[in-house]
Amino acid sequence: MNIVPETAPFSREQRAWLNGFLAASLFDRLGSVAPASAPSGSPPVARPRPLWIGVGSQSGSASGLAKKVAKAAESKGFEVTLRELDRITPDELSGLERLLVVCSTWGDGEPPDNAAGFWSRLSDGAASRLESLRYSVLGLGDRNYADFCGAARRIDERLEALGARRVAPRAECDGGDRAPFTAWMEAVWPSLDRVEPEGAPPSVASPIPGPDPVPGSGPSAATPATACPWTRRHPYPARLRVARRLNGEGSSKDTRHIEIELGDSSLAYEAGDALGVQPSNDPALVEGILQALGLDPGVPVSLGPSVPGGSIDLGEALANRWVLTQPSPALVKRLAELAPGSLIASLSDPSRRPDLESWMAGRDVLDALRSAPEARLDATELGSLLRPLQPRLYSIASSPKAHPGEVHLTVGTVRYEAHGRSRLGVASCWLADRVVPGVTPVPVFVQVSRHFRPPSDPSRPMIMVGPGTGIAPFRAFLQERRATGATGKNWLFFGDQRRATDYLYSSELDPLHRDGFLTRLDLAFSRDQESKVYVQDRMREQSGALWQWLEEGAHFYVCGDARRMAKDVEAALRTVIQTAGGRTEEQASEYLESLRSEGRYQKDVY
Ligand SMILES: Cc1cc2nc3c(=O)[nH]c(=O)nc-3n(C[C@H](O)[C@H](O)[C@H](O)COP(=O)(O)OP(=O)(O)OC[C@H]3O[C@@H](n4cnc5c(N)ncnc54)[C@H](O)[C@@H]3O)c2cc1C
Ligand SMILES: Cc1cc2nc3c(=O)[nH]c(=O)nc-3n(C[C@H](O)[C@H](O)[C@H](O)COP(=O)(O)O)c2cc1C
């Protein structure tokens, strides 16, 4: 609540304090705030109402919401401190009265990089009790991931376990759905100051539910990447120019170098950003589903207000709007009801949940329909049971300074056999096989990655670990540093299966290495010798030099596989710090933490 005019002769801090004081007095009169315990008859005692907002955000969405929370809190008279979660020290935390946490989830249910240290301190058995803390948590996530909003949930539960009082239930935002955020904000303000009677039960741990997504309403919106009009919800129909195979004859991989023209879109990006691509489904899968249900592709289906006119043909909805490669739980449940004698019905018994989950793994909508052939669904009901098709993100492999008006990607195609049928990754195979260069529109938007950038100081060394498609952003970083004349040393660790066929971008990297711009290049081809060798092994071999670079202020980057590679690389980095740096295990953790908090350890993993 801004009571003191902006023009009043006070500093920002003084004005915030006065606003807080006046707002508290006003609320006191309205009876909604704990009264300041002043003896009756004495003038009201000024009670600053400090509120900390802790944010955990990888690509900026949670940061954006946290800023909105901060603005709203200030307008309500709170004295706001907005901090990255990692920058809240244990001492500060144990002294806090009010904390709002806004945190996304990354990797496989992990906290974002700027919340990892906070979580490790909070989850430590020795963490201090937080009895005087009142808090609430807002999570951001994506229901397509198994551990939806897992990081926010764990922080919420841990704060409660440490004795803090949850003043409003956790809210969880899925993709761009901001309804839970709005509901959470409404719930939080009145309760942050309310005094519960002794022994009142804490707020329940279950989250504030958002409304069900409108079936078929298309991909949800995220915070726009830039001020430009092309966003996740309104992607730019770009043209693909090149989808060249990077692997040689005989490779078991099919990785593509993709070039996309940005035309007159005014889409801008920086080295480190990702490109969102809204793909189309495999026409063979669309056809199979239409046949299995005996449906006409020309039947109109309603998609609600997101589509001009409200409806499109079923064939187009199946091609472009809905997820066909995984059956939704809602579809499985409905098929079980419609076909009680089917396998899917027997697996749907609650006691057989693990069996159902393992049956669903690797099966698609067509498999589900075929397993319950007597189930009939019309187009409208089918649409209500399928989830919206989400865009895929790709780390940008070019610098706009080297390739103005273009975006390059390094895309690994996903192809495998499962349950007797060959399966195709939706976006990667669409880009590689079905997009006709110069003809098929490719809907794209820029996903800004503020936390993944080359060093802002051009003289700093940078160490990049990017095996497989993880090379993509480092191609961009090298182009960027070359274009800007950055003088810092550059070291790349790259790996894949075989040098002869899988050394991606060798025709660019070798010359860069030869002319010394790429100061060091360490390669690990796992299948070129008896025992497997990976980038993390090369890191260990180079412990001394790696340690020296880190001590010279190098930034350390890793990109690619999150499940194994990024974890193994982090383990190798710890080993380097311990062996070459002569640190204990605990000191190595602190060293890593300080690299993170200085922005010198950045990850782009998926
Ligand atoms: C920030 C970010 C950056 C990224 N950058 C890149 C990049 O530079 N290059 C790149 O190639 N990708 C990148 N990705 C991954 C990319 O977004 C897609 O996830 C990937 O291309 C697969 O999408 P798809 O639609 O082709 O496959 P989907 O249709 O989504 O299928 C993939 C799924 O198929 C299943 N699957 C795959 N292989 C098998 C198997 N052998 N057996 C059983 N099931 C299997 C898995 O469930 C997997 O999740 C990035 C992701 C993120 C989040
Ligand atoms: C590589 C990757 C992994 C993710 N993992 C999860 C996850 O495990 N659980 C989840 O709920 N959301 C997950 N998400 C979704 C993000 O939490 C979601 O996009 C969120 O809005 C990002 O917020 P931020 O920009 O503040 O980091 C993941 C997203 C990406 C790109």
Side-chain angles (χ1 to χ4, degrees):
M1 188 176 288
N2 280 322
I3 300 167
V4 182
E6 293 282 315
T7 48
F10 298 114
S11 70
R12 205 169 153 272
E13 289 71 26
Q14 286 168 330
R15 192 164 47 244
W17 185 88
L18 272 169
N19 275 329
F21 165 66
L22 293 170
S25 313
L26 188 61
F27 279 130
D28 281 349
R29 262 183 270 136
L30 296 172
S32 57
V33 165
S37 52
S40 62
S42 59
V45 176
R47 276 208 344 144
R49 295 152 72 227
L51 168 67
W52 282 47
I53 299 169
V55 59
S57 180
Q58 194 78 20
S59 55
S61 307
S63 301
L65 288 191
K67 282 181 199 142
K68 289 188 180 165
V69 178
K71 216 168 157 199
E74 275 175 355
S75 76
K76 292 186 184 298
F78 288 99
E79 219 178 62
V80 175
T81 303
L82 178 61
R83 282 271 177 93
E84 286 184 307
L85 281 165
D86 267 5
R87 291 178 190 268
I88 303 180
T89 66
D91 280 353
E92 284 169 336
L93 183 63
S94 49
L96 293 188
E97 281 176 47
R98 301 177 194 83
L99 172 69
L100 296 177
V101 173
V102 183
C103 187
S104 64
T105 295
W106 278 75
D108 223 356
E110 287 150 28
D113 287 343
N114 63 358
F118 175 82
W119 171 245
S120 80
R121 294 189 292 270
L122 196 71
S123 54
D124 191 301
S128 309
R129 300 285 301 164
L130 298 169
E131 251 100 20
S132 50
L133 179 67
R134 307 163 68 79
Y135 80 97
S136 187
V137 176
L138 174 72
L140 278 81
D142 180 338
R143 279 188 205 278
N144 290 306
Y145 289 90
D147 194 2
F148 175 58
C149 284
R153 186 181 65 253
R154 278 182 282 280
I155 290 174
D156 184 21
E157 290 168 356
R158 182 65 181 150
L159 287 170
E160 182 186 37
L162 291 171
R165 175 170 280 272
R166 182 188 301 107
V167 297
R170 182 179 74 254
E172 295 174 342
C173 294
D174 181 12
D177 176 14
R178 296 291 176 253
F181 167 65
T182 311
W184 180 74
M185 290 263 271
E186 279 166 18
V188 155
W189 305 127
S191 51
L192 266 177
D193 282 317
R194 188 183 299 130
V195 178
E196 286 83 6
E198 259 324 282
S203 176
V204 285
S206 56
I208 295 176
D212 289 338
V214 182
S217 62
S220 49
T223 312
T226 62
C228 116
W230 307 109
T231 62
R232 191 178 174 101
R233 196 187 273 278
H234 299 289
Y236 170 70
R239 300 286 154 176
L240 175 148
R241 198 177 56 197
V242 171
R244 191 178 69 241
R245 197 171 162 166
L246 288 169
N247 303 91
E249 203 60 43
S251 172
S252 63
K253 299 218 177 159
D254 176 6
T255 314
R256 300 297 177 107
H257 172 70
I258 305 268
E259 294 184 5
I260 287 173
E261 290 170 352
L262 296 176
D264 57 2
S265 65
S266 78
L267 269 172
Y269 69 92
E270 287 181 44
D273 287 341
L275 191 77
V277 174
Q278 182 67 44
S280 291
N281 282 309
D282 178 5
L285 189 53
V286 171
E287 188 54 35
I289 291 168
L290 287 168
Q291 278 185 13
L293 288 171
L295 292 174
D296 176 352
V299 177
V301 284
S302 169
L303 290 181
S306 69
V307 169
S311 67
I312 59 172
D313 287 356
L314 174 62
E316 201 209 317
L318 285 168
N320 298 319
R321 299 301 179 120
W322 297 327
V323 175
L324 306 184
T325 45
Q326 292 162 338
S328 67
L331 175 70
V332 169
K333 184 165 173 274
R334 185 68 184 133
L335 291 176
E337 285 163 9
L338 292 170
S342 64
L343 171 67
I344 219 167
S346 70
L347 291 173
S348 294
D349 187 281
S351 65
R352 300 197 61 193
R353 203 181 161 81
D355 296 335
L356 179 65
E357 275 169 14
S358 71
W359 185 86
M360 281 171 70
R363 285 193 162 83
D364 60 20
V365 168
L366 183 56
D367 294 311
L369 295 175
R370 284 181 176 163
S371 76
E374 65 271 44
R376 293 287 97 192
L377 294 169
D378 64 21
T380 303
E381 185 169 22
L382 177 66
S384 74
L385 297 169
L386 298 180
R387 289 179 296 196
L389 183 59
Q390 299 291 338
R392 304 313 198 247
L393 295 179
Y394 293 96
S395 313
I396 294 178
S398 52
S399 154
K401 297 190 179 68
H403 297 279
E406 295 175 11
V407 173
H408 299 181
L409 309 176
T410 313
V411 176
T413 59
V414 174
R415 304 176 204 271
Y416 57 99
E417 287 284 322
H419 312 293
R421 281 182 34 224
S422 59
R423 316 275 163 164
L424 304 176
V426 177
S428 56
C429 291
W430 178 66
L431 286 168
D433 303 341
R434 299 198 309 281
V435 169
V436 180
V439 177
T440 315
V442 177
V444 300
F445 60 93
V446 171
Q447 171 77 47
V448 175
S449 305
R450 287 186 193 86
H451 302 289
F452 197 74
R453 294 277 184 251
S456 54
D457 174 352
S459 66
R460 287 276 178 136
M462 80 177 170
I463 304 164
M464 301 162 282
V465 184
T469 56
I471 183 70
F474 303 135
R475 182 176 181 264
F477 281 20
L478 288 167
Q479 289 181 357
E480 177 81 12
R481 283 199 131 189
R482 180 133 252 192
T484 55
T487 54
K489 296 187 289 183
N490 304 304
W491 186 347
L492 175 68
F493 289 87
F494 174 76
D496 212 312
Q497 292 183 348
R498 295 190 172 82
R499 182 178 186 122
T501 55
D502 307 318
Y503 180 8
L504 311 181
Y505 298 114
S506 58
S507 61
E508 297 178 17
L509 296 174
D510 282 340
L512 281 179
H513 187 216
R514 270 197 304 272
D515 78 12
F517 181 73
L518 184 50
T519 325
R520 298 195 58 146
L521 173 63
D522 280 271
L523 301 168
F525 293 102
S526 58
R527 301 192 185 180
D528 275 354
Q529 59 286 304
E530 276 285 294
S531 54
K532 298 270 171 85
V533 177
Y534 298 106
V535 281
Q536 58 271 26
D537 301 313
R538 294 283 182 247
M539 285 173 60
R540 286 197 190 87
E541 286 166 17
Q542 302 297 334
S543 291
L546 250 175
W547 173 249
Q548 201 186 323
W549 279 50
L550 289 174
E551 285 293 273
E552 287 168 17
H555 288 223
F556 184 90
Y557 301 90
V558 57
C559 177
D561 171 57
R563 259 162 228 267
R564 290 182 45 198
M565 185 274 295
K567 291 185 177 123
D568 292 348
V569 164
E570 180 159 317
L573 188 56
R574 270 176 202 282
T575 310
V576 167
I577 297 166
Q578 282 177 243
T579 53
R583 309 289 159 113
T584 63
E585 204 180 321
E586 204 185 336
Q587 286 167 337
S589 297
E590 285 165 11
Y591 192 92
L592 268 183
E593 192 106 319
S594 66
L595 284 182
R596 265 198 203 100
S597 65
E598 290 164 23
R600 288 173 52 212
Y601 178 19
Q602 301 182 15
K603 293 190 273 184
D604 175 29
V605 297
Y606 43 87

